[in-house]
Amino acid sequence: MDLHIDAGFLALLASHNLAVAATVGPDGLIVIGRDRVGRPAIEHRVIHNAFALAVSGSRLAVSHKYGITVYNDCRALAAEHPTAPGRYDAYYAPLVTFHTGDCLVHDMVATRKGLVVANTRFSTVDLIDGRYNANPIWRPPFISVPMPEDRCHLNGLALDGETLKYVTAFGPFDTAGGWRSHPQFHGVLIDAVTGRCIAEKLSVPHSPRIIDGHLYVCESGHGTLLRVDPSTGQRTVVCELPGLPRGLAAHAGIAFIGLSSQRHSSSLPTLPILARHATPIAGIAAVDLATGNLLGMARIQNPGREILDVKLIPNCMLPGVGERNDHHEFHLTESPAGAYWLKSASRPKTVPVAAPAAQANSNDSSTEQA
């Protein structure tokens, strides 16, 4: 993937000690950080149909075609990576995969009870905690019964602490694929507590978020980030962007917003953003939420790419991400007794690499459940 990271974007990562994780269609998962001398560094993992991300404590969760894989950060061994010593200051090793089936999970938040996800296929918000493949805990009042029919393209959610507060969908439709007949200006932002639509006639909305007490939503069709007053529905344009925004995370008043070029799809019409940008770009924009000013950009040069979700990894220079398949040369295995880099058993002629962890994972597991 050809990714250009400008000086402003890199300076933000350095000054706030952040790494950025993003899912990219059709490429999988990328992580953008810095190397030991401050240059941009990129990690890429091919995860087919990767979409939603969640980061909480030492856990990273990634949704994909038929499930959600949760990774655990073993920082004690990050710098000891057998083939890239000293490159990483965090390392996410695959821990568990929840098999959801083809639920089209578009958005995801980690809570103490489990993963709360936007189950787009069933038009519901679900809890993924290992008891069921998918457990609906909320649905819009206009959805009569959860069915695997993508009736309203429910695609985004925002939590306030542990409470589901807001949900986005492409329209208040209750028939199979109903949104596809009216995809452009029927989008809704729903108060999940009352069931009331607080904003309507949105153009393909995504990624509602509560940031510093304010409600934001990406209006992808217009290429804008909106601030919405939940009590009145009044919308304020924070910024106009050069791509279709989807995926939103924030730190210290700075929003990191995923941008996509327009997908060639019969499900989406010609969108209003094309009046400003004939060729929308793909990448991640860093925006000052107070002023709407663009502070930096990581731009994907390859055509036809989509950023599907964006999350921030705090207190981290560059995290590595382990492979989920069995064909990788090395795997990290962690237990209460220690953590080890192990050589694949399919390569018996080499001596296994092992190193004890400096200490057991000290994070409070009660706040890290994925």
Side-chain angles (χ1 to χ4, degrees), residues 177 179-184 262-270:
W179 65 274
R180 296 179 184 276
S181 300
H182 309 279
Q184 190 171 149
Q262 184 171 18
R263 182 190 312 173
H264 297 290
S265 169
S266 59
S267 299
L268 292 176
T270 300

Side-chain angles (χ1 to χ4, degrees), residues 117 119 124-129 131-138:
V117 308
N119 183 340
T124 58
V125 174
D126 289 16
L127 177 67
I128 307 298
D129 62 359
R131 289 182 291 177
Y132 300 94
N133 295 105
N135 180 17
I137 58 173
W138 183 90

Side-chain angles (χ1 to χ4, degrees), residues 23-247:
T23 44
V24 184
D27 299 288
L29 173 70
I30 62 169
V31 178
I32 305 171
R34 299 158 288 126
D35 66 15
R36 298 288 177 177
V37 295
R39 295 170 302 195
I42 302 164
E43 290 291 301
H44 177 212
R45 289 290 174 267
V46 176
I47 302 174
H48 296 298
N49 298 107
F51 210 114
L53 294 168
V55 175
S56 178
S58 68
R59 302 290 166 83
L60 166 70
V62 183
S63 77
H64 41 86
K65 180 67 172 176
Y66 296 113
I68 300 168
T69 296
V70 180
Y71 299 76
N72 186 55
D73 176 14
C74 182
R75 296 206 174 195
L77 284 190
E80 306 298 325
H81 193 286
T83 61
R87 176 172 173 80
Y88 307 117
D89 62 344
Y91 194 86
Y92 289 96
L95 184 64
V96 64
T97 295
F98 295 105
H99 296 274
T100 62
D102 192 10
C103 285
L104 298 177
V105 171
H106 273 53
D107 207 358
M108 180 163 56
V109 177
T111 73
R112 289 184 177 88
K113 294 181 180 180
L115 290 164
V116 177
V117 308
N119 183 340
T120 304
R121 180 77 75 192
F122 283 80
S123 307
T124 58
V125 174
D126 289 16
L127 177 67
I128 307 298
D129 62 359
R131 289 182 291 177
Y132 300 94
N133 295 105
N135 180 17
I137 58 173
W138 183 90
R139 70 176 187 261
F142 51 78
I143 295 295
S144 56
V145 60
M147 292 291 289
E149 297 175 338
D150 188 9
R151 294 182 174 188
C152 64
H153 206 66
L154 187 154
N155 60 41
L157 50 82
L159 273 67
D160 185 5
E162 299 282 305
T163 303
L164 178 67
K165 290 286 289 184
Y166 305 105
V167 172
T168 50
F170 277 10
F173 306 110
D174 194 28
T175 58
W179 65 274
R180 296 179 184 276
S181 300
H182 309 279
Q184 190 171 149
F185 293 111
H186 291 266
V188 291
L189 174 62
I190 307 167
D191 183 326
V193 176
T194 66
R196 179 175 63 95
C197 290
I198 60 177
E200 301 179 280
K201 297 183 179 180
L202 296 168
S203 180
V204 290
H206 288 92
S207 310
R209 302 288 186 262
I210 301 170
I211 303 170
D212 296 331
H214 297 285
L215 172 60
Y216 295 85
V217 66
C218 294
E219 190 173 18
S220 303
H222 282 290
T224 56
L225 176 65
L226 303 179
R227 185 183 299 115
V228 181
D229 185 330
S231 60
T232 66
Q234 181 178 353
R235 311 166 198 175
T236 301
V237 176
V238 177
C239 61
E240 295 182 341
L241 296 154
L244 280 67
R246 172 178 51 195

